[in-house]
Amino acid sequence: MIREALDLVMDNIQIYRMLDAGPVREQLVKSLGGLLLEFGGLVIVLALCMGVFMYFMRQTIIVMSRLIEYDLRKLIFQKFESLSVEFYKRSNTGDLMARISEDVSKVRMYIGPAILYGINLVSLFILAISSMVNVSLELTLYALAPLPFLSISIYYVSSLINKKSTKIQKQLGYLNTIVQEVFSGIRVVKSYTQEAAIGGNFEVQSEDYKQKSMELARVNAFFYPLMLLLVGASTIITVFMGGRMVLEGKISPGNIAEFVIYVNMLTWPVTAIGWVASIIQQAAVSQRRINEILLEEPSIQEIKEPYRAPIQGDISFENVSFVYPDSGIEALKGVDFELKAGQKMAIIGRTGGGKTTIAELLLRNYDVQSGRIRIDGVDIKDFSTQHLRSALGYVPQDSFLFSDTISANVAFGNPDASQKEIEQYCQYAAIHQDILELPEGYDTVVGERGVTLSGGQKQRISIARALIKRPKLVILDDCLSAVDTKTEQSILGFFESEFAGKTTIIITHRIYNLLEFDHILVLDDGRIVESGKHAELLAQGGYYAELFQKQSLEKEAE
Ligand SMILES: Nc1ncnc2c1ncn2[C@@H]1O[C@H](COP(=O)(O)OP(=O)(O)O)[C@@H](O)[C@H]1O
Ligand SMILES: [Mg+2]
């Protein structure tokens, strides 16, 4: 269009010069003006068409890439949820977060923009270069000569930019970790008056971040001028060589104009080659990291046809030995015991004795290496983990509450529970009164965004959360340690009344004389060293008897 318009003007200018002023010349100017206006209108219409199609192309491809990103992220999250506790023990949280956020974004950049510009590039290349070759192969070669340099240097510069950005990302991640640690450990930092030392470290790391960012800014500053330089060179060569060819009569001046436009049209795709290549490289690395997660097998395998009967609560450990896969520590050695549905058992013993490990194995967070754990006579591996865990009410040693209201935290155990039930269970867990004293009662937000509760309060809320599930089997892992004796007795009273029919395992290092335990295990270094009922154990005069005596003395002292 532009070539035709320009050639038309050039030809007519010569005619115009030959004519004298008069009606013919006026007529020529008028008709030429009309024609040029038509050309102008056509160019605008074509530009609008280009815009419309560009819009649809972006809509199709970018929207598609967002949908794939969404699916991929969902898939990874589901995978994360299916992986076992053991996986999280050996993985770094920051790294896992990066895989579901940054890596997914990088893959999206590939399936979105990289493919978009790739298609754009190929089609523009074919169209523009074939039109150029049609006019003159020689001029085409001249005009395109600087473009490979453009691609290569942009590739080089973008790789450099990516490398520097990755370093900056990492440093930023490190800065975030420092800040997060200081926030969560602020009490320790303050009580050891370490503000200055930590501030100093933060400053050093921030300085490093600044240096790296400035390096990136310097490289970035090269990008645009480099592109302009090479495009400019291409335009100058086209005009110079094209001019000579016009003089030789090989092409028309309109061809030069059209070439300059082609060169400009090709600039962006040629720049994009380098950019796209570096996105593809990064996406490949990211996809590999994502695949590592997607291909990770949960260490707890679900059985194909699980046993479905409702769980009653008989438990038996048959010669169970267990070694933690990551540390190689043998936490249980030939543990053997049996507990009938509805019975109460206490496990006591020194720290590191293997008490928590028994709970972890019952929950099937790990699989035993030798021996067998049965519930209702069925190997726990024959239940689905879903079925098994829904029958278990577990209160872990370190209570974790979500940053949400107290009601929501308790209802986590049973989302259908009414407010009345929630309050009922909080009464059982002897926390109701404490909650009412909080500024917004049950609607008080706890944790990061809200009030800080004491250790004992948190323990009791997590007890309420576990009990509201109405599980068949309750395991309390040392979760009365931060509770005073009176409160403790009121909670244990509940187990004797409301929860009398449930199998209960209480892990502790205090001896309760309130509960008539059916079974007491003393664990030491992964072995059962004493077992039996309270009276039997006292008669044995071992660890249990010693502990009981010590605690009785303490009680008298109170
Ligand atoms: N997740 C784990 N990974 C590796 N070793 C562990 C893990 N948890 C506990 N251990 C080790 O297993 C042993 C028993 O721990 P645990 O069952 O927590 O004892 P207790 O609850 O009686 O204090 C300890 O030596 C401890 O270091
Ligand atoms: Mg423990």
Side-chain angles (χ1 to χ4, degrees):
M1 214 52 75
I2 282 165
R3 170 191 36 176
E4 304 249 313
L6 209 77
D7 284 344
L8 190 79
V9 174
M10 295 293 276
D11 292 346
N12 282 289
I13 278 177
Q14 277 163 12
I15 301 174
Y16 176 87
R17 287 212 182 105
M18 286 189 289
L19 290 173
D20 296 326
V24 185
R25 206 165 95 167
E26 300 246 305
Q27 188 58 40
L28 177 74
V29 170
K30 232 174 155 181
S31 66
L32 188 62
L35 266 172
L36 284 179
L37 216 62
E38 259 173 50
F39 274 121
L42 261 172
V43 169
I44 290 174
V45 169
L46 288 177
L48 282 177
C49 282
M50 191 163 109
V52 169
F53 283 112
M54 191 71 106
Y55 171 79
F56 284 123
M57 176 153 112
R58 290 192 71 94
Q59 273 296 305
T60 313
I61 296 181
I62 303 294
V63 166
M64 178 251 339
S65 78
R66 288 289 180 195
L67 291 175
I68 292 180
E69 177 188 28
Y70 168 77
D71 285 344
L72 190 59
R73 195 163 275 150
K74 238 176 23 183
L75 196 69
I76 300 174
F77 190 71
Q78 276 168 5
K79 188 73 196 191
F80 274 152
E81 284 195 313
S82 79
L83 290 172
S84 335
V85 175
E86 170 263 340
F87 168 80
Y88 288 93
K89 283 259 155 74
R90 68 179 145 86
S91 313
N92 171 320
T93 313
D95 180 57
L96 295 184
M97 306 257 279
R99 288 179 205 226
I100 201 170
S101 52
E102 277 137 50
D103 285 331
V104 171
S105 304
K106 283 191 177 149
V107 171
R108 184 197 77 85
M109 282 302 279
Y110 165 64
I111 47 188
I115 287 185
L116 176 78
Y117 291 117
I119 295 174
N120 204 349
L121 188 131
V122 171
S123 41
L124 256 180
F125 253 67
I126 294 173
L127 290 176
I129 294 181
S130 63
S131 312
M132 287 165 84
V133 170
N134 247 347
V135 175
S136 154
L137 178 65
E138 196 187 340
L139 191 56
T140 308
L141 291 178
Y142 281 126
L144 298 185
L147 295 188
F149 293 103
L150 181 60
S151 270
I152 293 169
S153 44
I154 295 289
Y155 173 69
Y156 181 72
V157 172
S158 354
S159 303
L160 208 61
I161 288 177
N162 283 332
K163 228 183 282 163
K164 301 224 180 265
S165 318
T166 313
K167 275 197 199 149
I168 290 178
Q169 282 292 329
K170 225 171 168 178
Q171 184 64 19
L172 187 65
Y174 186 58
L175 275 183
N176 281 340
T177 312
I178 297 182
V179 174
Q180 198 223 327
E181 286 226 311
V182 171
F183 287 165
S184 43
I186 191 72
R187 290 208 194 93
V188 181
V189 173
K190 283 195 179 293
S191 58
Y192 284 79
T193 56
Q194 287 299 310
E195 291 97 331
I198 287 181
N201 181 30
F202 185 75
E203 207 174 307
V204 171
Q205 300 300 338
S206 293
E207 178 68 30
D208 186 42
Y209 178 76
K210 187 186 84 185
Q211 289 296 341
K212 290 192 167 118
S213 304
M214 304 232 293
E215 275 173 35
L216 177 67
R218 246 171 265 141
V219 177
N220 254 332
F222 254 110
F223 196 90
Y224 202 62
L226 190 73
M227 194 172 107
L228 282 186
L229 180 75
L230 287 161
V231 173
S234 189
T235 311
I236 289 170
I237 293 174
T238 308
V239 173
F240 181 72
M241 297 310 291
R244 285 172 64 157
M245 287 165 81
V246 171
L247 288 181
E248 289 165 18
K250 285 188 193 156
I251 55 170
S252 73
N255 289 134
I256 299 184
E258 116 186 83
F259 262 65
V260 169
I261 289 171
Y262 289 141
V263 166
N264 277 293
M265 271 166 76
L266 288 179
T267 316
W268 171 235
V270 169
T271 314
I273 293 181
W275 185 67
V276 167
S278 107
I279 291 182
I280 292 177
Q281 269 190 345
Q282 288 184 63
V285 174
S286 291
Q287 186 66 53
R288 221 170 291 138
R289 281 163 52 82
I290 291 173
N291 289 347
E292 272 173 24
I293 300 292
L294 294 182
L295 297 176
E296 177 83 36
E297 285 290 328
S299 56
I300 303 294
Q301 292 290 330
E302 297 282 349
I303 190 159
K304 286 242 159 51
E305 281 172 29
Y307 196 77
R308 288 183 197 283
I311 288 177
Q312 301 305 323
D314 276 346
I315 300 175
S316 74
F317 269 55
E318 293 167 14
N319 201 15
V320 169
S321 296
F322 177 69
V323 178
Y324 276 103
D326 46 341
S327 65
I329 291 174
E330 190 174 17
L332 291 182
K333 298 162 191 163
V335 169
D336 219 66
F337 67 83
E338 202 171 326
L339 201 62
K340 290 264 166 279
Q343 287 191 325
K344 312 263 180 268
M345 180 171 85
I347 307 178
I348 62 171
R350 294 195 183 88
T351 354
K355 304 183 294 293
T356 301
T357 308
I358 288 186
E360 297 260 18
L361 292 181
L362 265 174
L363 279 163
R364 221 182 151 210
N365 279 341
Y366 298 91
D367 273 337
V368 295
Q369 286 105 358
S370 80
R372 196 185 294 275
I373 302 174
R374 291 184 202 269
I375 290 183
D376 298 347
V378 178
D379 191 323
I380 59 167
K381 289 178 190 167
D382 293 338
F383 292 108
S384 72
T385 47
Q386 159 80 25
H387 186 61
L388 173 73
R389 289 173 190 161
S390 63
L392 272 148
Y394 173 54
V395 185
Q397 205 164 358
D398 39 357
S399 11
F400 172 82
L401 298 182
F402 294 98
S403 307
D404 204 337
T405 62
I406 292 180
S407 284
N409 265 293
V410 175
F412 191 79
N414 175 7
D416 301 326
S418 66
Q419 186 62 30
K420 217 175 130 224
E421 281 176 275
I422 292 174
E423 293 183 18
Q424 178 72 62
Y425 278 90
C426 286
Q427 259 161 13
Y428 292 151
I431 183 72
H432 181 66
Q433 217 48 47
D434 291 46
I435 295 173
L436 292 185
E437 280 162 24
L438 289 171
E440 285 165 74
Y442 278 86
D443 291 328
T444 310
V445 173
V446 298
E448 280 222 321
R449 293 184 290 114
V451 298
T452 313
L453 299 175
S454 76
Q457 288 171 327
K458 275 198 263 183
Q459 285 185 339
R460 279 173 286 156
I461 291 176
S462 49
I463 292 175
R465 173 173 66 189
L467 298 182
I468 204 168
K469 258 174 97 174
R470 305 215 118 252
K472 282 287 174 195
L473 227 156
V474 186
I475 307 169
L476 303 188
D477 190 353
D478 216 357
C479 54
L480 296 171
S481 57
V483 167
D484 63 81
T485 341
K486 215 173 123 232
T487 317
E488 182 179 352
Q489 297 208 343
S490 109
I491 296 172
L492 290 172
F494 163 77
F495 281 95
E496 285 194 334
S497 53
E498 303 291 323
F499 261 41
K502 315 267 180 193
T503 314
T504 310
I505 298 180
I506 292 181
I507 297 171
T508 179
H509 48 252
R510 263 192 258 172
I511 295 176
Y512 310 98
N513 32 23
L514 178 99
L515 254 182
E516 269 294 308
F517 285 104
D518 299 294
H519 205 69
I520 298 169
L521 295 184
V522 181
L523 271 186
D524 192 26
D525 196 22
R527 263 183 244 282
I528 298 181
V529 288
E530 292 167 38
S531 82
K533 291 198 180 205
H534 179 69
E536 294 164 14
L537 289 174
L538 280 188
Q540 281 183 22
Y543 176 82
Y544 185 85
E546 208 178 295
L547 194 66
F548 182 71
Q549 204 167 17
K550 218 160 59 186
Q551 287 187 6
S552 307
L553 284 177
E554 274 168 19
K555 217 161 179 194
E556 272 167 31
E558 277 173 17

